[in-house]
Amino acid sequence: MNKFKDFFCTFVFMDLYTKTLEFFYSKFLSETTKKRTEKVFVTISIISFLLHLLLILLVNLKIINAYSKLLIEPISAIYTPFSFILIYEVYLLVFYLPKSTTIYIGKQYEIITLIIIRRNFKDLSKLDFTGVNLYSKVNLNFAFDLLTTLILFYLIYIFYKLDTVNNEIKSLKEKTIEVDRFIKFKNAIAVFLIPIFLILSFYSLGNWIYESFTITQIVKNIKDINKIFFDDFFTILILIEVLLLLFSFYITDKFNKVIRNSGFIISTILIKLSFGTEGILNSTLIVIAVLFGVLILKIHNYFEVEEIKQRIKKTS
């Protein structure tokens, strides 16, 4: 009788856990929620862009006083909607975590590329093309960021192309019960990340708005929004990826899978480290991180293709 009660309690608990997970997953990570979230962030981006332009106009007309560099040049207004687009990209990163490891990693690369593009918009107002300052630090960093953006754009293209090959290889393999369990575990992790993502988003956004648009000079030492949000968020991602790597051993201990997942963690760590650097070192770290991820995926695909060839030889 006691065994039956224990079994019944376990069954009820698991059923409740599954239903709760499915409920929150449908609320936060379904295709419908994704489309709604996209519309919300696009709307917010447009409104924030117009409000930023209005503030710049009021400052230039001397109706209000402001000391922020983001309230002088109209071009700087592009920086604001990009901040909201970046937050939406982080949501997409969480959205794709349980669906595809490679797309999830690809979203990390997209985020860091958008951060550099946003930095370019911010630095446009600081450029100095006079003969004296033509090779100033700001100008050189801007030029290097443009080159970095092009390199990253191409590397991301290669990464997603390799992911297509990876998906074709996956389609040739059977889906096991262990894989289904691992996907459910990733669903739970993604649901867990949503409140963390929301808390960090509101905290960082509030600090950034206060720092960037305050009309006083009281606040001078608040960290950059990248360091407030993305530095902390990428730290969480690293811990999550290590956890997923450990749980992946329940599915497979194949060398190429372990190296691929470990390589992606190293890539994420390099991106995280880039937030503590500036200038050329910052861009170099980011390019190395993405290039490392691309090469890891490419070599992993070689292993997978070779395994399929060997399997075909044995069956023929």
Side-chain angles (χ1 to χ4, degrees):
M1 188 69 180
N2 288 332
K3 287 183 179 180
F4 176 77
K5 283 175 69 178
D6 291 341
F7 173 78
F8 180 74
C9 290
T10 304
F11 177 78
V12 170
F13 174 77
M14 289 302 296
D15 185 57
L16 181 64
Y17 167 77
T18 303
K19 286 180 179 178
T20 304
L21 181 62
E22 287 175 354
F23 172 78
F24 282 109
Y25 187 88
S26 64
K27 288 293 181 184
F28 298 123
L29 296 166
S30 65
E31 284 291 337
T32 304
T33 305
K34 175 175 165 288
K35 289 176 182 177
R36 287 175 184 169
T37 305
E38 183 180 353
K39 289 179 181 177
V40 168
F41 273 97
V42 169
T43 304
I44 292 173
S45 298
I46 294 168
I47 293 170
S48 67
F49 178 61
L50 295 174
L51 285 175
H52 195 159
L53 285 174
L54 178 62
L55 283 172
I56 291 170
L57 177 64
L58 293 174
V59 169
N60 289 332
L61 292 174
K62 297 184 179 179
I63 296 174
I64 61 172
N65 296 318
Y67 299 96
S68 174
K69 291 179 181 178
L70 288 175
L71 293 174
I72 299 171
E73 291 290 335
I75 294 174
S76 300
I78 305 170
Y79 187 82
T80 302
F82 255 79
S83 298
F84 289 104
I85 291 169
L86 273 168
I87 292 175
Y88 175 65
E89 282 288 323
V90 172
Y91 167 76
L92 288 180
L93 184 148
V94 178
F95 178 83
Y96 283 111
L97 171 61
K99 296 172 178 64
S100 171
T101 301
T102 44
I103 293 179
Y104 157 76
I105 294 295
K107 286 297 170 185
Q108 291 186 25
Y109 298 159
E110 288 180 22
I111 286 168
I112 200 65
T113 304
L114 284 171
I115 287 173
I116 294 175
I117 292 173
R118 187 185 64 165
R119 190 165 67 201
N120 285 335
F121 286 127
K122 184 180 178 182
D123 291 342
L124 275 171
S125 59
K126 301 177 185 176
L127 295 178
D128 188 352
F129 294 113
T130 61
V132 178
N133 296 314
L134 189 60
Y135 298 103
S136 66
K137 184 180 177 181
V138 173
N139 289 4
L140 290 174
N141 283 340
F142 180 78
F144 203 78
D145 279 348
L146 288 179
L147 179 61
T148 302
T149 302
L150 287 173
I151 295 171
L152 291 177
F153 194 25
Y154 183 66
L155 287 175
I156 291 170
Y157 162 74
I158 295 173
F159 187 83
Y160 283 131
K161 198 171 181 181
L162 289 169
D163 181 48
T164 304
V165 176
N166 188 50
N167 289 332
E168 289 173 358
I169 295 168
K170 276 183 187 176
S171 65
L172 297 173
K173 296 184 176 181
E174 292 182 6
K175 207 172 184 181
T176 62
I177 296 172
E178 287 77 12
V179 171
D180 283 331
R181 287 174 180 170
F182 187 59
I183 290 170
K184 287 179 181 178
F185 176 70
K186 291 203 291 183
N187 288 342
I189 291 290
V191 169
F192 170 74
L193 277 174
I194 287 294
I196 295 175
F197 155 67
L198 289 173
I199 292 167
L200 280 175
S201 296
F202 285 118
Y203 172 73
S204 60
L205 189 61
N207 275 277
W208 175 69
I209 290 171
Y210 186 51
E211 178 190 17
S212 300
F213 301 108
T214 181
I215 58 173
T216 67
Q217 285 183 312
I218 296 173
V219 183
K220 290 183 179 179
N221 297 317
I222 294 179
K223 293 193 289 183
D224 179 81
I225 188 171
N226 293 343
K227 293 179 182 177
I228 295 170
F229 179 81
F230 290 107
D231 191 19
D232 294 336
F233 192 75
F234 269 83
T235 300
I236 295 167
L237 289 184
I238 291 165
L239 298 176
I240 294 296
E241 286 173 24
V242 172
L243 188 63
L244 290 174
L245 172 65
L246 295 174
F247 270 87
S248 69
F249 280 99
Y250 282 118
I251 303 172
T252 179
D253 59 353
K254 285 170 58 179
F255 176 73
N256 61 305
K257 292 287 184 186
V258 174
I259 292 298
R260 185 199 68 167
N261 295 337
S262 301
F264 286 161
I265 294 172
I266 292 170
S267 181
T268 305
I269 291 171
L270 288 172
I271 291 173
K272 196 263 181 197
L273 290 174
S274 72
F275 293 117
T277 61
E278 294 179 353
I280 293 174
L281 179 59
N282 174 269
S283 298
T284 303
L285 268 175
I286 293 167
V287 169
I288 290 172
V290 178
L291 179 61
F292 187 76
V294 169
L295 292 176
I296 281 288
L297 183 57
K298 189 172 182 64
I299 297 168
H300 166 267
N301 286 355
Y302 285 149
F303 272 87
E304 293 291 288
V305 170
E306 192 60 34
E307 182 189 332
I308 290 170
K309 285 180 179 177
Q310 291 298 326
R311 192 183 303 168
I312 293 169
K313 278 183 181 180
K314 288 178 181 179
T315 54
S316 60

